[in-house]
Amino acid sequence: MNYIFRFILVIIFAYTCFAQNDKYKNDREAMVKQQIEYRGINNQPTLKAMTAVPRHKFVPPNLVNRAYDDDPLPIGYGQTISQPYIVAYMTAAIDPKPEYKVLEIGTGSGYQAAVLSEIVSEVYTIEIITELYNSSSKRLRDLGYKNVTCKNADGYYGWKEHAPFDAIIVTAAAEYIPPPLIEQLKDGGKMIIPVGSPFLNQNLILVEKKGEDITTKALLPVLFVPFKRGN
Ligand code: SAH
């Protein structure tokens, strides 16, 4: 009897887990269709990666039921995980390829790094807040994102040892484009970075490097948390 009871409990538990996962899978597919594809993003690797990464595992436990909403969400320490559309927009803007080595500044929850990790071969990501570095590097490790390497530092200086990068994604708003990041971009490489005043007038800027030539193009008005300095 005892065994039968336990068996039934195991079945109920397994079914509940399955139903939960399925619910998130549906939420994720709806997020990609309604928030991302519908707004015109059709970079297939980006759509595939956003369908694969379990965003609900990157938000605080009390916000899990809002993980697939069309919003940024707080992740503590005054920081946010970006709105899904913005993550997709920035990912698509660098036109990521499987052989790429990408640098991200502002690991935060680790979500953008995980999305990149599904597409490219190597992701290097830098976070300035030690507590967020600790939690996101553990999360990425636990979820099996083996091609992501994390560092706790001021991302202003980039990551010289691994440069040059095919692409750079900056997820905090800088007042100007840090020159070391331009230096560490490969010839032909692309960087996407929010530039502007804290909490005011920011634009996502696409930077392209062709030899000595650096071109910049404002793509989209945005609102990001400020790029910090120090550490
Ligand atoms: N990409 C993140 C969103 C991050 S919010 C995600 O997917 O969740 C911006 C992050 O940039 C914050 O965690 C903030 O602490 C970090 N940050 C701000 N200035 C930084 C700097 N100079 N170097 C590295 N990280 C920085």
Side-chain angles (χ1 to χ4, degrees):
M1 188 60 198
N2 202 1
Y3 280 113
I4 292 175
F5 182 63
R6 277 196 212 169
F7 179 72
I8 291 171
L9 275 185
V10 167
I11 298 285
I12 292 174
F13 179 71
Y15 177 77
T16 313
C17 292
F18 177 77
Q20 276 295 335
N21 273 337
D22 213 34
K23 172 186 179 305
Y24 291 126
K25 187 168 171 276
N26 291 341
D27 288 354
R28 206 153 47 239
E29 283 170 4
M31 170 190 89
V32 170
K33 280 221 155 52
Q34 293 159 17
Q35 302 171 30
I36 299 171
E37 269 190 285
Y38 181 75
R39 291 188 179 124
I41 293 178
N42 58 14
N43 180 272
Q44 292 307 311
T46 301
L47 299 177
K48 204 168 153 220
M50 303 272 308
T51 308
V53 177
R55 185 170 159 98
H56 61 280
K57 298 206 169 141
F58 291 81
V59 303
N62 61 321
L63 295 175
V64 163
N65 62 347
R66 294 182 50 201
Y68 296 97
D69 287 2
D70 194 11
D71 293 310
L73 293 171
I75 54 170
Y77 310 94
Q79 307 305 318
T80 53
I81 175 173
S82 305
Q83 179 190 8
Y85 173 65
I86 295 294
V87 175
Y89 190 97
M90 294 177 83
T91 310
I94 61 161
D95 192 14
K97 306 281 185 226
E99 68 277 12
Y100 271 20
K101 175 161 66 165
V102 179
L103 174 68
E104 181 200 19
I105 310 299
T107 319
S109 68
Y111 179 67
Q112 171 76 75
V115 169
L116 288 168
S117 131
E118 294 275 345
I119 308 171
V120 306
S121 73
E122 289 169 73
V123 181
Y124 293 89
T125 180
I126 306 178
E127 171 55 53
I128 200 166
I129 298 178
T130 305
E131 290 83 352
L132 286 176
Y133 157 78
N134 286 336
S135 54
S136 56
S137 51
K138 180 178 185 310
R139 174 178 297 122
L140 288 161
R141 200 171 48 242
D142 290 352
L143 291 173
Y145 291 102
K146 292 198 174 65
N147 57 347
V148 181
T149 312
C150 302
K151 173 159 113 166
N152 181 207
D154 180 352
Y156 180 91
Y157 304 101
W159 200 332
K160 229 176 169 173
E161 296 87 324
H162 297 290
F165 299 97
D166 297 286
I168 301 178
I169 291 191
V170 182
T171 65
E175 305 232 12
Y176 60 93
I177 304 166
L181 298 184
I182 294 182
E183 243 160 68
Q184 292 175 26
L185 200 56
K186 237 181 221 177
D187 192 3
K190 288 192 173 106
M191 166 162 42
I192 182 98
I193 174 170
V195 179
S197 320
F199 310 112
L200 275 177
N201 301 330
Q202 303 166 5
N203 267 294
L204 271 185
I205 306 288
L206 181 68
V207 182
E208 292 191 72
K209 183 172 177 177
K210 287 184 189 123
E212 293 295 292
D213 220 32
I214 309 294
T215 59
T216 59
K217 190 164 141 198
L219 298 181
L220 186 75
V222 283
L223 195 56
F224 272 80
V225 293
F227 195 93
K228 294 172 181 287
R229 297 302 318 279
N231 204 33

